[in-house]
Every structure is written in C-alpha cells, then in structure tokens.
Amino acid sequence: MLAERDRVRLVRVFAVEVVEGPDKGKRAVSTSEELTIGADAGTDLELTDPAVSRHHCALRATARGLEVRDLGSTNGTFAGGCELVRGYLGAGTRLKLGTTVIAVDLMADEIEQPLAAADAWFGLVGASGAMRRLYPILERYAQSDATVLITGETGTGKELVAEAIHRAGPRNHGPFIALNCGSLPPQLIESELFGHVRGAFTGAETDRVGAFEHAHGGTIFLDEIGELPPASQPVLLRVLENKKIKPLGSSTERAVDVRVVAATNRDLREAVNQRRLRSDLYYRLHVLPVELPPLRERDGDIALLADMFWRELRDAPAPPELIAVLARQRWEGNVRELRNAVERAALIGWAELPAPTWNYAETKDALIATWERDWLAQLIEAHGGNVAASARAARMARSYLRRLALRYGITQVDE
C-alpha cells in the first residue's frame, strides 16, 4: 500500500463505512496513511455508539498492507469473531466496535507525498523513503510557532528531531531547553517547569527560574510528556493556552515567548482512553504531529548511520565487514542501540558473530555483559554524563557505577 516513484511516495487510499449500528451509512475516506475511529470529535470517523471508546482504533496504510490497531479501547476491536490488538486487513474486511460494524475497502486512488532529494536535514541523517518523506514536513513545521508532538519508539531520535526543528526555524538564535518529564519527582515538576519563589516550599531558600522562562525567545522540549502526572496537566494546559506562567508560590503571572515541542514513546490516545491524560491537553499538544519510523522500516539507513557513527569516532570509513554484520541484525533499540553497538566496536574491537555455543554459563555471561554495557551507556547519556545523577536514578553506589563505566570504556562521565 506504499510505493515510491521518482521523488514521490504513493499511499493507497482506503475507506470505512458503518454498515450496522447507530451511525449506519456514515463514511470516511483516508487523507493520509492513518484514519482514526472513535467517539471523540477529533477522530476521522466519529461514532455515537456508547460502546465505542473516544479513541477506539486506528487504520494505517503500510508497506505490508492495511494495519489496524486497537487504541486500548474498553470493549475491543473485532474482525471475524477474533479480538484484534494489532493486525493486517484485506479488502472487504468488517470490523466490529461495540454494536457498530464497519466495512473497510481499498480504493484505486493514491495520495502523493513529496520526498526530499537530500539524505540529511539539520543533523538528521537518512536516505530511506521513510526519512526523506519527513524532511519536507519538518521544514514546514519549523517555520510555524504551533506546538509539535513527536511520537516514536524509544531510540528513534525524538530529541534530535526537536533540535532540528529549532535550528531550522526563526527561533534558532534563542535557547533550546530540554526537560524529561518522566525523570522528575511529581512534587518538583511545577517548580522545574515554571520556577518558584523563595519560601514556596520547604527548602526553597531562593527564587528559581523554571524551564519555560529559561526558554524565553526559543524552544522548550518536553520529553516523555505522557509521564506528566494528572495534577500537573491543568497547569501546563493553561500555559499552552495563554503563554503565561506563574512560578510556584507567586501570585503574579509572567508572559513567556516559547515554542513548545513535546515527545513521547507512547500513544497518547490510549492515555486519554484510560483517563491518564486530559483530552483537552492532548489536542493542545497534537497540533503538528510527526511520527518517527523505527529503524526496521528505514531500508538502507543502517549502513549510512553506522558509517557516520564510526567516522565520528575513528575519522575513517567503517569497515565493510562490520557494516555487513550490523545490517543483518534487527535493532529493537533503534538508532540509539545501533550507535551504542558501533561505539562498542570502535572502542573494544569487533569480529564476526561467533559460532553458536551451548555452554550455558558462557552464553549467559556474554548476553549479560552486552545488556549491561548498553544499559549503562543509555543511563549515563540520559543523565548528561553525570555519575552522581545516574547512580541515584539506578539506585546503586556511585563508586560501583564508575567502575562499571571504566570496565566498558565509557569515558564521557563527570561527577
């Protein structure tokens, strides 16, 4: 259902029509890869069936076929009597959502999506169609001041995309402030975001400027936005609506001029269904959405990325044999995992994958060492190379974490 021709990607159009239920006769036709169905007014096919969730399911045109994914609905999505969490549909398939039956049909029409000629854009690298399709979209987003919501699996490069949007836009001379909402204690989130005044809480001995005020004139990147506690969501919603902040303990609001880019590795529609995320906040965030493709959908990019990472470390082309080994593997950790593997190969050497061994202890030790090194590298990277912060997050002794870092050749650390 996806194809490329010259500098255009072609997406097959599909339609959904209610054939049974309260909304019989209602129909929707896809205008992009994805079409959503649910009771929420923001879905493409809005249903009045009370047994249908606000964001019930999504259909997407993929290279493999038409994919359907249940969005954590209360009553499930069914086809042929089987409940689907994720699956691929053929033409003429009927879906059952609550008391509603929906017919799905493929159409002859195709949507044309432009592909960039270049294989890089403001620090992003990728020659695959999946990436070259993103560059024109991100270019348009960069020129706007509207909120961007970046979604994608862990390790796909969401912060890199946020930085690229900032660098490509008119705010590129202003600050870029990144904040991980998932790493902050709930009681400190509002202080980190909006600052506090002296005496606002025990230990607040001086006034403190928050991330939004630090980002004035530039961009604030809110990573893992899906982890924001419910109690803090109304406050963020007000800031997104009126561009004013109120430091904790203050009675005075301050205007801030910031562009907001948020990111998550979760589907926020599921969080809305489960009432972990306010629906109004979701729509305030979901103004300019962009979904990053996993590495397994970026044909040919493994060799390009691996060579780039190797040159950064060795200032020379990557060995072809190494590229061949890396290209045969499946990267569940996406670009981050690939980068760690190349860095490990550059630091401690590499060889073809060894012949299988049935020695339990040796196999277990090798797998644990590989996992431990990758986990440690990601932990330290997530905390800016700071050993003390990394140790606190991992709940381990700082001295032991430092010894592990030395063992695996991780040198970009500080106290």
Side-chain angles (χ1 to χ4, degrees):
M1 296 188 66
L2 297 179
E4 292 181 23
R5 184 180 63 207
D6 298 328
R7 287 174 55 184
V8 172
R9 186 167 81 153
L10 303 174
V11 181
R12 185 82 172 271
V13 176
F14 58 94
V16 291
E17 183 175 353
V18 179
V19 293
E20 293 181 28
D23 301 289
K24 185 176 180 179
K26 196 166 189 179
R27 189 170 185 265
V29 178
S30 64
T31 57
S32 65
E33 295 104 312
E34 187 176 81
L35 183 150
T36 56
I37 304 174
D40 195 279
T43 55
D44 299 305
L45 182 65
E46 182 186 352
L47 302 176
T48 60
D49 185 345
V52 169
S53 296
R54 283 181 286 187
H55 300 274
H56 200 102
C57 66
L59 282 71
R60 177 181 288 269
T62 73
R64 185 173 171 181
L66 187 60
E67 179 192 72
V68 61
R69 183 162 61 90
D70 185 85
L71 299 175
S73 66
T74 301
N75 296 313
T77 302
F78 295 82
C82 297
E83 184 172 4
L84 300 177
V85 175
R86 194 176 210 144
Y88 293 89
L89 307 176
T93 298
R94 295 196 170 192
L95 297 174
K96 192 169 191 302
L97 288 62
T99 62
T100 297
V101 177
I102 295 172
V104 181
D105 288 306
L106 300 179
M107 303 179 71
D109 298 335
E110 293 175 323
I111 301 167
E112 293 189 355
Q113 298 177 333
L115 300 177
D119 59 8
W121 185 79
F122 285 91
L124 304 178
V125 175
S128 62
M131 288 300 292
R132 289 190 297 121
R133 174 193 166 260
L134 286 183
Y135 301 154
I137 295 173
L138 297 176
E139 180 65 43
R140 294 197 303 272
Y141 285 6
Q143 306 314 311
S144 167
D145 238 11
T147 301
V148 177
L149 178 62
I150 306 170
T151 58
E153 297 177 7
T154 298
T156 48
K158 293 184 285 292
E159 185 166 354
L160 283 177
V161 172
E163 289 185 46
I165 291 172
H166 172 73
R167 290 172 55 199
R171 293 176 174 270
N172 55 8
H173 295 298
F176 176 85
I177 304 296
L179 192 69
N180 189 318
C181 299
S183 66
L184 298 175
Q187 64 273 21
L188 294 180
I189 285 180
E190 289 188 39
S191 173
E192 291 290 334
L193 287 172
F194 313 122
H196 63 251
V197 299
R198 180 183 179 186
F201 52 84
T202 302
E205 299 177 353
T206 60
D207 292 356
R208 185 180 187 279
V209 173
F212 267 85
E213 201 164 352
H214 274 302
H216 184 77
T219 301
I220 185 168
F221 173 55
L222 302 177
D223 199 6
E224 301 302 342
I225 191 67
E227 306 303 319
L228 195 68
S232 301
Q233 293 176 20
V235 184
L236 177 60
L237 179 63
R238 286 197 299 273
V239 174
L240 295 177
E241 288 176 341
N242 60 28
K243 299 294 185 180
K244 293 181 180 179
I245 63 167
K246 183 188 291 185
L248 206 60
S250 173
S251 59
T252 305
E253 288 188 326
R254 304 174 187 174
V256 287
D257 174 26
V258 295
R259 203 273 173 85
V260 177
V261 179
T264 178
N265 60 4
R266 300 187 177 190
D267 194 318
L268 295 184
R269 295 170 295 191
E270 294 188 19
V272 172
N273 283 341
Q274 297 160 7
R275 302 188 185 280
R276 291 186 290 104
L277 182 74
R278 293 174 59 113
S279 180
D280 48 2
L281 178 57
Y282 168 74
Y283 284 111
R284 277 291 177 183
L285 295 169
H286 195 263
V287 179
L288 299 177
V290 57
E291 183 174 0
L292 303 188
L295 193 52
R296 60 182 174 274
E297 294 179 6
R298 296 174 56 179
D299 293 342
D301 282 353
I302 291 177
L304 186 66
L305 291 166
D307 186 66
M308 181 185 71
F309 297 148
W310 183 274
R311 288 173 185 270
E312 291 175 357
L313 295 162
R314 288 288 179 263
D315 195 25
E321 299 84 358
L322 172 61
I323 296 293
V325 170
L326 296 175
R328 289 198 296 268
Q329 299 184 37
R330 184 177 176 87
W331 300 97
E332 296 297 339
N334 293 298
V335 179
R336 181 182 298 159
E337 183 187 5
L338 175 63
R339 186 185 188 105
N340 290 341
V342 173
E343 183 179 353
R344 182 168 62 250
L347 291 173
I348 63 177
W350 69 278
E352 274 283 1
L353 296 177
T357 173
W358 301 115
N359 185 300
Y360 172 78
E362 290 180 5
T363 302
K364 184 180 74 170
D365 290 346
L367 289 173
I368 289 176
T370 299
W371 169 84
E372 189 173 53
R373 201 279 174 193
D374 290 346
W375 172 84
L376 189 64
Q378 293 180 35
L379 170 71
I380 292 174
E381 178 188 1
H383 293 84
N386 187 282
V387 171
S390 300
R392 283 196 299 272
R395 298 184 181 180
M396 61 195 302
R398 183 168 55 182
S399 58
Y400 181 61
L401 189 145
R402 192 185 302 108
R403 287 199 300 273
L404 283 179
L406 292 174
R407 178 191 302 174
Y408 292 113
I410 302 173
T411 57
Q412 293 81 15
V413 296
D414 58 56
E415 296 299 318

